[in-house]
Amino acid sequence: MKTLKNHTLIYDNECPMCTIYSKAFTRCGMLDDNGREAFTEISAAHKSIIDSTRAKNEIALIDHRRNKVVYGLDSLLLIIGNSFPLLEKIARIQPLYWFFKKLYSFISYNRKQIIPSGNDHREEACVPDFNLRYRITYIAWVVILSAYVLSVFSGKLGVNGSYNFWRELAVCIGQIIWQVVFLKAYLKDKIWNYLGNMMTVSLIGTILLIPALLANFTPVFYIIYFGMVVLIMFLEHIRRCKLLKLNYLPTLSWTLFRITALAFIIWLSF
């Protein structure tokens, strides 16, 4: 690997994804051993160079020789392109560059909903600005994926269930509407943050269901497996509410809807 010297990457040390890939850059020699610095531990000299607000949304890379800063996807392409010039050239071709830039923003603006931290409430924390477009896109993406996987999984439960994407889509959308209606007054300005975390709980459950779809087991197995996944989702929902400094009300409301929806689906199946 060719080392990009005299550069410092300012990464979000409260974000596991940012920590992993920035550490990989230094370990494989694409950056110097001291080529990265945590946002919450940034030196005064570096803080005076970067746009702190923008650096929360897009990872910053400082070029010490030119006293210049690049952000987001461009910073990653600069590091990668120093070792693999062809990859950078390909990634900068339109519309690939447009796609990767949108993908980067999609992940960056939702990263605290994907993997929250107990320190996100601190003033010096590297928390991205709220972006309504990317939050709605994230919620919609999880809703569609969850509805599809659940529709396939429901056909394996052996309770007269059948593949019905639109039914599962209605349940997923209904969950969001239910939580907004019953919790809007309680959640107040945390509503979008909570919804993002709630959808990540659904995403975790969806991902856990996928392996079971790759083989054929008895309906009893699928019922037990589904129960275990729901339990994991329940515990994860509680954990995330604690990180958001919320009480058990969102979890109780979330559970009530899940039970009501499941009972209604079973009733319709007979």
Side-chain angles (χ1 to χ4, degrees), residues 205-253:
T206 299
I207 293 173
L208 291 175
L209 289 179
I210 292 175
L213 299 178
L214 302 179
N216 290 317
F217 298 101
T218 64
V220 173
F221 169 85
Y222 284 106
I223 292 173
I224 295 174
Y225 187 83
F226 184 74
M228 293 172 60
V229 171
V230 170
L231 176 60
I232 292 172
M233 293 172 64
F234 175 77
L235 295 175
E236 179 63 12
H237 193 279
I238 292 176
R239 187 185 76 86
R240 287 172 179 263
C241 284
K242 288 182 179 179
L243 291 177
L244 293 175
K245 300 191 180 303
L246 301 172
N247 60 24
Y248 289 102
L249 182 60
T251 302
L252 290 174
S253 177

Side-chain angles (χ1 to χ4, degrees), residues 80-101:
I80 296 171
N82 187 60
S83 296
F84 307 100
L86 181 60
L87 288 180
E88 181 185 7
K89 289 180 180 179
I90 293 173
R92 290 190 182 279
I93 296 174
Q94 295 290 357
L96 284 178
Y97 179 77
W98 176 88
F99 171 77
F100 287 131
K101 196 170 182 65

Side-chain angles (χ1 to χ4, degrees), residues 6-268:
N6 298 310
H7 283 73
T8 302
L9 189 68
I10 310 299
Y11 72 101
D12 178 7
N13 54 310
E14 298 290 349
C15 170
M17 292 181 291
C18 303
T19 301
I20 290 171
Y21 75 69
S22 62
K23 192 172 184 177
F25 286 149
T26 58
R27 279 194 170 183
C28 70
M30 297 175 77
L31 284 174
D32 290 320
D33 291 338
N34 59 348
R36 67 173 190 148
E37 185 175 34
F39 184 91
T40 57
E41 301 169 2
I42 189 171
S43 65
H46 289 166
K47 191 172 184 179
S48 65
I49 298 175
I50 69 169
D51 181 338
S52 296
T53 300
R54 186 176 179 183
K56 292 180 179 181
N57 301 328
E58 303 175 273
I59 195 166
L61 180 66
I62 303 173
D63 182 343
H64 297 288
R65 285 177 296 190
R66 300 181 181 179
N67 200 33
K68 181 182 176 182
V69 185
V70 292
Y71 297 88
L73 177 63
D74 290 326
S75 66
L76 300 183
L77 290 180
L78 184 60
I79 297 171
I80 296 171
N82 187 60
S83 296
F84 307 100
L86 181 60
L87 288 180
E88 181 185 7
K89 289 180 180 179
I90 293 173
R92 290 190 182 279
I93 296 174
Q94 295 290 357
L96 284 178
Y97 179 77
W98 176 88
F99 171 77
F100 287 131
K101 196 170 182 65
K102 293 297 181 182
L103 179 62
Y104 179 92
S105 297
F106 173 77
I107 296 173
S108 181
Y109 281 108
N110 289 298
R111 68 182 190 271
K112 295 300 182 179
Q113 284 65 52
I114 298 172
I115 307 178
S117 168
N119 297 320
D120 289 345
H121 63 281
R122 296 187 305 174
E123 185 177 347
E124 66 273 17
C126 188
V127 177
D129 294 330
F130 170 66
N131 187 294
L132 180 61
R133 179 178 57 179
Y134 286 114
R135 187 61 45 80
I136 291 177
T137 301
Y138 177 65
I139 291 173
W141 175 72
V142 175
V143 163
I144 294 171
L145 178 63
S146 297
Y148 173 75
V149 173
L150 282 170
S151 64
V152 176
F153 193 89
S154 62
K156 295 179 176 290
L157 294 177
V159 287
N160 293 328
S162 59
Y163 177 89
N164 191 326
F165 172 78
W166 298 109
R167 179 191 65 202
E168 300 300 338
L169 183 65
V171 170
C172 292
I173 295 175
Q175 175 82 84
I176 297 171
I177 296 174
W178 174 288
Q179 294 295 80
V180 169
V181 170
F182 284 95
L183 298 174
K184 187 175 182 180
Y186 169 67
L187 294 173
K188 297 179 181 178
D189 59 335
K190 293 182 179 180
I191 183 69
W192 285 106
N193 197 3
Y194 167 75
L195 288 177
N197 276 275
M198 183 185 77
M199 296 317 297
T200 301
V201 171
S202 295
L203 179 61
I204 291 171
T206 299
I207 293 173
L208 291 175
L209 289 179
I210 292 175
L213 299 178
L214 302 179
N216 290 317
F217 298 101
T218 64
V220 173
F221 169 85
Y222 284 106
I223 292 173
I224 295 174
Y225 187 83
F226 184 74
M228 293 172 60
V229 171
V230 170
L231 176 60
I232 292 172
M233 293 172 64
F234 175 77
L235 295 175
E236 179 63 12
H237 193 279
I238 292 176
R239 187 185 76 86
R240 287 172 179 263
C241 284
K242 288 182 179 179
L243 291 177
L244 293 175
K245 300 191 180 303
L246 301 172
N247 60 24
Y248 289 102
L249 182 60
T251 302
L252 290 174
S253 177
W254 178 84
T255 304
L256 179 60
F257 177 85
R258 290 280 173 173
I259 293 174
T260 303
L262 180 60
F264 184 69
I265 290 173
I266 293 175
W267 178 73
L268 288 178

